Amino acid sequence: MTQGNMPLRAKVATQVSRTAAALSRAAGRGDGSVIGGWIGLKIDPDLLEHLAAGRAIALVSGTNGKTTTTRLTAAALGVLGPVATNSFGANMPTGHTSALAKAGDTPYAVLEVDEHYLPQVIEETRPRVIALLNLSRDQLDRAKEVAMMAQLWRTTLAKHPEVAIVGNADDPMIVWAAGNSPTVSWFSAGQRWQDDSWVCPECGSTIERQDGQWWCTGCPLRRPAPQWVVEDDGVLDPSGAWHLIRLQLPGRVNLGNAATALAVAAAFGIRPLQAVPTLSSVASVAGRYAQVDRDGRNIRLLLAKNPASWLEAFDMADNAPTLLSINARDPDGLDTSWLFDVDFSPLRGRQVLITGDRAYDLAVRLDVNDVPFRHVQTFGEAIASVPPGRLEVIANYTAFQDIRAELDRVN
Ligand SMILES: [Zn+2]
């Protein structure tokens, strides 16, 4: 339904939600989407459902790449008309509510969804398509949740055969989670991080891998043939046509995110030839991949919040001086022993600087990996320590926010 046709309570809730978000923004408290959505849902607990009705919606979920894939997908669906999206990464129902309230009557929406909330958001938004990216450990204290999350998704998706799935063929957890869905379009971009999927979620046997394939040694679960495949610097579509993908975002992982966006767009009837040119419009995503010039240094920010994304960041980073920053505040997870799950040896030969609340944990880890480094107290000291040219910055969540703040909240 359009917002004009909503029940009175929902209309009021929508207006209050917008106003609260605007006031919060004006007060300099971020983009206001969490508080706006929270107030709207207090007034009308069914507000998300009302706001979603009548829109064709795609949801994007998984441990890594949600925000970027959501941005790329929203760009691709823009071919059809105006698209509502929660592009600031407010990925819980409060953020979705706020995004839809703020957008007004758009025919389309692309929403990034926190893994834990996917079942609830499916019920409330009735999506047409869901993209499932991967499931890996996010914070060590939550590691055993990977299998539980896959089970939760599998149970939920079995109840929604009407939803088309775009799924990652290289992640056994995703393949199993989508195993009961009748309509799945598989994509493949390779899987660098495999330590959370050595054990079959169906039968508990070992999963074997060879030449990009994987299969369970105890049951029929195996890698499905993907329809969308990252190859060189482009993507093969289901017809076998190859499309060169020009992105402003670095790394093979973002080509995989682009392939996902193309597959979602195809589920909405958009041909790759229409969607591909839109992808190059996406530059930085909430400051990630942003490049800032300061004192002759070109600083690039890479967010790495869990072991899988650290490996991806090493792959994306140029062979240039690199600053690593680690905090262990609440949003990061308090336990830094995950550092020992990551192989830091790709950094050998680069000038490495470390900083952050938990720089000394990083120091121990780098020492074990024989990577020389220097500790710096501030970001300014880091800039002064490297020659003019590229400085790569790889940081976990709150460390990333600290550095963004130092760089005047770059976008
Ligand atoms: Zn099995």
Side-chain angles (χ1 to χ4, degrees):
M1 84 186 75
T2 64
Q3 294 190 11
N5 296 333
M6 288 194 306
L8 179 62
R9 177 177 283 264
K11 279 189 210 168
V12 172
T14 301
Q15 189 53 49
V16 172
S17 166
R18 276 189 209 147
T19 307
L23 285 172
S24 176
R25 273 196 300 281
R29 296 186 184 153
D31 83 320
S33 54
V34 171
I35 188 73
W38 184 83
I39 288 176
L41 288 167
K42 279 281 166 206
I43 297 171
D44 180 357
D46 298 326
L47 185 57
L48 181 54
E49 220 172 309
H50 288 305
L51 288 168
R55 291 187 224 240
I57 294 180
L59 305 181
V60 178
S61 196
T63 315
N64 297 102
K66 288 188 287 288
T67 306
T68 308
T69 304
T70 298
R71 276 291 286 276
L72 292 168
T73 305
L77 290 201
V79 166
L80 297 176
V83 180
T85 186
N86 54 336
S87 56
F88 285 85
N91 61 15
M92 298 181 203
T94 47
H96 305 138
T97 303
S98 187
L100 296 183
K102 188 176 157 198
D105 289 326
T106 65
Y108 304 96
V110 181
L111 300 175
E112 168 187 339
V113 185
D114 178 277
E115 304 89 277
H116 300 80
Y117 286 90
L118 188 62
Q120 180 189 341
V121 176
I122 290 173
E123 294 301 332
E124 294 183 354
T125 65
R126 300 283 161 180
R128 186 185 290 186
V129 183
I130 305 175
L132 303 176
L133 306 182
N134 55 53
L135 282 172
S136 73
R137 70 187 74 175
D138 202 14
Q139 297 174 1
L140 204 64
D141 36 330
R142 293 189 191 160
K144 60 177 174 291
E145 285 187 12
V146 171
M148 284 166 55
M149 193 66 68
Q151 177 67 65
L152 177 66
W153 284 11
R154 186 174 161 91
T155 308
T156 304
L157 295 176
K159 287 186 274 184
H160 291 280
E162 76 285 1
V163 181
I165 305 297
V166 169
N168 182 352
D170 297 319
D171 186 338
M173 292 294 168
I174 295 294
V175 172
W176 184 70
N180 291 323
S181 298
T183 314
V184 187
S185 183
W186 298 109
F187 66 89
S188 168
Q191 188 190 28
R192 206 172 301 273
W193 175 261
Q194 303 174 339
D195 285 11
D196 290 315
S197 48
W198 288 112
V199 175
C200 174
E202 174 70 25
C203 73
S205 303
T206 310
I207 287 177
E208 298 273 355
R209 284 186 168 84
Q210 197 175 20
D211 301 331
Q213 302 293 322
W214 59 262
W215 61 93
C216 174
T217 52
C219 78
L221 190 72
R222 60 183 302 124
R223 180 178 181 264
Q227 287 85 43
W228 300 84
V229 180
V230 171
E231 198 177 273
D232 302 323
D233 47 357
V235 173
L236 279 171
D237 76 16
S239 76
W242 181 84
H243 306 271
L244 175 67
I245 307 290
R246 291 183 197 279
L247 295 178
Q248 296 192 56
L249 312 174
R252 188 177 170 86
V253 66
N254 281 319
L255 280 177
N257 295 335
T260 311
L262 294 179
V264 174
F268 281 79
I270 304 170
R271 289 177 296 115
L273 283 175
Q274 296 171 282
V276 164
T278 66
L279 304 178
S280 61
S281 67
V282 177
S284 76
V285 178
R288 298 166 205 191
Y289 316 116
Q291 297 188 39
V292 183
D293 290 308
R294 193 62 57 90
D295 299 335
R297 279 74 172 176
N298 174 248
I299 302 152
R300 181 163 65 175
L301 301 179
L302 300 170
L303 173 70
K305 54 183 186 160
N306 52 39
S309 57
W310 277 86
L311 290 186
E312 302 289 3
F314 295 157
D315 177 56
M316 283 182 221
D318 286 349
N319 187 359
T322 304
L323 172 68
L324 309 175
S325 184
I326 299 268
N327 289 345
R329 298 175 202 161
D330 203 41
D332 306 309
L334 304 179
D335 183 347
T336 58
S337 60
W338 60 267
L339 283 168
F340 285 85
D341 292 331
V342 178
D343 176 15
F344 283 79
S345 62
L347 295 174
R348 274 183 215 145
R350 300 183 202 178
Q351 182 185 357
V352 175
L353 305 168
I354 62 172
T355 191
D357 299 350
R358 302 299 281 269
Y360 293 114
D361 298 348
L362 203 45
V364 172
R365 181 68 191 93
L366 290 171
D367 202 48
V368 170
N369 247 161
D370 283 325
V371 178
F373 61 88
R374 192 183 138 200
H375 180 231
V376 292
Q377 298 287 352
T378 64
F379 192 62
E381 192 185 338
I383 293 176
S385 310
V386 300
R390 170 61 60 83
L391 169 62
E392 299 281 13
V393 177
I394 308 177
N396 70 349
Y397 191 72
T398 65
F400 184 86
Q401 302 304 339
D402 286 355
I403 289 169
R404 269 187 85 191
E406 280 202 58
L407 284 167
D408 302 318
R409 305 199 73 82
V410 289
N411 268 304

